[in-house]
Structure formats: structure tokens, C-alpha cells
Amino acid sequence: MAVLDSVPPSSFCASEVAKMASAASPELVWQMIRNNHGSLMKARNIRRPFSKEANNLKNVNSYRFNGFVQKNVVGVEPMASGKGAVLITKKKRSSHKPGQSVLRQPLVKGKRVSIQKVRRALKGASYRKDLRSLAARRAAAIIRSQEPPRPAKAKKN
């Protein structure tokens, strides 16, 4: 208490307190939320539980793919309109401002253009190579699921 009493109260501003709170290491945060969090789906006879959190490209509960913990986060979601996808990335610098730390880029041009846009955006920002390929695969799957079904060919008798 003596140390806190010697510091004048005006030196603690809200932004410094927010910076100190967000300064926890990702490893420490992972140890706290590893077994219990709101997006975790546990079931019997499953080795590794699933996770429904945003920005988890594989939906696996692991430190490597977790969307809460990592500083470099990538996510691909379908657009609300049902046409195209949205590439979601997180800025490293504004981790203490959660509302401003998320970037959303719409992917609506077409399958090939969208996949190239995902690859270029993540390569330019120096994201992990495994996340780049997973994000491109997820964007392709989302866009493919939105295409109308092809008519079945008539069989020759």
C-alpha cells in the first residue's frame, strides 16, 4: 500500500489502466480459458472439443487456432446478404481497443478473385502461412456453398 500511496491519483488515467489490462500474455490467457469458455462444445468420446468462437478457422479448441488469444487473427464469414464472404483481420497495434481492432474486407467479385484477395491481403500483412491457406480454403468453401446447384445431367439409357 505504501507504494500506491506515494503515487498521486492523477497519474493513473483510464488509458494506462486499459493498456495494463490488455498486456497479459497470450499464453496466460490461453491457460485461463483453455478448458472453460462460452464457445466450447464438449461431448463424450471426442478427443478434442470443438470451439465455435469467431475467427477460429478450424473450429478446434487449440492455442494455435484460437480467436480470443492470438494477436494475429484471421476469420472468414459469409456476408449477411448471402452473396460473398467477409475477410476479418485483427490489427496488432490496437489490441487494447477491441472495437477498432477489427478490419472487415468484403469478398464479392467471384471465387477466383476473392481467393486471390485473401491470399494477397494475408501475405502482405505477414500472417502465418498455415492461416493463409486455411482462410483461402474457407473463403472458397463459403462462396461455393452460395452458388446455385447445377442441374443433373440426364442419363443415357
Side-chain angles (χ1 to χ4, degrees):
M1 281 305 246
V3 175
L4 291 177
D5 292 337
S6 64
V7 177
S10 63
S11 66
F12 289 106
C13 67
S15 64
E16 288 178 320
V17 173
K19 285 180 186 176
M20 286 187 274
S22 67
S25 70
E27 291 83 10
L28 177 64
V29 176
W30 171 247
Q31 289 298 321
M32 292 184 336
I33 69 165
R34 174 176 66 168
N35 293 325
N36 295 314
H37 59 84
S39 301
L40 191 61
M41 293 180 58
K42 292 183 179 180
R44 291 184 183 164
N45 300 326
I46 294 178
R47 283 189 333 169
R48 180 177 280 168
F50 294 104
S51 185
K52 297 187 301 184
E53 80 237 9
N55 305 328
N56 187 338
L57 291 172
K58 278 195 128 179
N59 294 334
V60 173
N61 186 38
S62 70
Y63 175 75
R64 182 177 181 185
F65 299 111
N66 195 289
F68 298 135
V69 175
Q70 301 291 342
K71 294 200 184 234
N72 261 356
V73 176
V74 179
V76 181
E77 296 176 356
M79 289 189 75
S81 65
K83 298 283 185 181
V86 179
L87 175 67
I88 301 167
T89 55
K90 187 174 168 186
K91 296 183 209 172
K92 292 182 200 175
R93 293 181 183 164
S94 57
S95 62
H96 60 282
K97 298 178 184 176
Q100 297 175 3
S101 67
V102 177
L103 286 174
R104 295 177 171 270
Q105 297 176 352
L107 308 169
V108 293
K109 292 282 184 179
K111 189 162 51 172
R112 288 185 185 197
V113 176
S114 298
I115 293 169
Q116 287 300 324
K117 190 173 182 181
V118 168
R119 286 189 177 140
R120 277 193 214 110
L122 298 181
K123 190 172 184 179
S126 301
Y127 275 82
R128 293 188 343 229
K129 198 172 188 178
D130 60 335
L131 288 183
R132 284 187 239 159
S133 61
L134 282 173
R137 289 176 69 185
R138 179 163 263 201
I142 288 172
I143 293 169
R144 190 181 320 115
S145 71
Q146 294 170 347
E147 291 176 354
R150 294 180 183 168
K153 292 183 179 180
K155 292 186 177 181
K156 294 180 182 179
N157 288 337

